[in-house]
Amino acid sequence: QVQLVESGGGSVRPGGSLRLSCTASGFDLDYHLIGWFRQAPGKGREGVSCINGNDGSAYYRDSVKGRFTISRDNAKNTVYLQMNSPKPEDTGAYYCAILPLITTVQGMCIPNRRHFWGRGTQVTVSS
């Protein structure tokens, strides 16, 4: 069964830290691009960070550069998003998605209907 399962969401204060996990079943990360996306209430889904599961190259949206780190553990078929110093504007539902190696990591971070999605995990940043 192919699926993506996100975990690690919750409430965090500004300046704290949180680590999200995305575990893939039925996919081999060595042959895929994986990305983290988020959606705030009333807004569209946007790419946060994406990684090439084969060579580890990564892309970050400007607003999270220097604060968030994406990584993968291919042996565990899991991709992580380490969120340091989160801000209230980082609040939203976070989803992971996967594609075969058919585009760049930057292209992966543009949501489209070819992506296979997980069900999401909520992140709330508030004091």
Side-chain angles (χ1 to χ4, degrees):
Q1 181 180 2
V2 294
Q3 63 176 349
L4 298 173
V5 179
E6 302 94 335
S7 61
S11 295
V12 61
R13 295 184 183 277
S17 65
L18 203 63
R19 188 176 81 158
L20 306 183
S21 299
C22 171
T23 300
S25 300
F27 298 100
D28 186 337
L29 295 190
D30 281 319
Y31 301 102
H32 289 86
L33 298 158
I34 308 93
W36 283 98
F37 300 76
R38 67 187 179 194
Q39 188 165 14
K43 295 188 177 181
R45 195 167 295 190
E46 61 183 20
V48 177
S49 181
C50 296
I51 190 167
N52 182 313
N54 185 261
D55 65 15
S57 57
Y59 166 85
Y60 298 89
R61 70 180 300 110
D62 287 346
S63 62
V64 306
K65 285 180 181 177
R67 299 189 297 120
F68 292 7
T69 302
I70 192 169
S71 62
R72 92 274 194 217
D73 184 337
N74 288 26
K76 295 182 179 180
N77 244 26
T78 299
V79 174
Y80 304 97
L81 185 68
Q82 179 67 42
M83 304 172 62
N84 294 333
S85 300
K87 302 176 181 179
E89 52 264 42
D90 295 319
T91 293
Y94 280 69
Y95 301 88
C96 66
I98 196 165
L99 274 180
L101 294 169
I102 57 173
T103 185
T104 63
V105 285
Q106 186 169 0
M108 173 65 193
C109 264
I110 301 172
N112 67 68
R113 55 187 175 179
R114 295 181 303 176
H115 287 60
F116 182 91
W117 298 94
R119 299 185 69 176
T121 186
Q122 178 67 32
V123 172
T124 302
V125 185
S126 173
S127 56

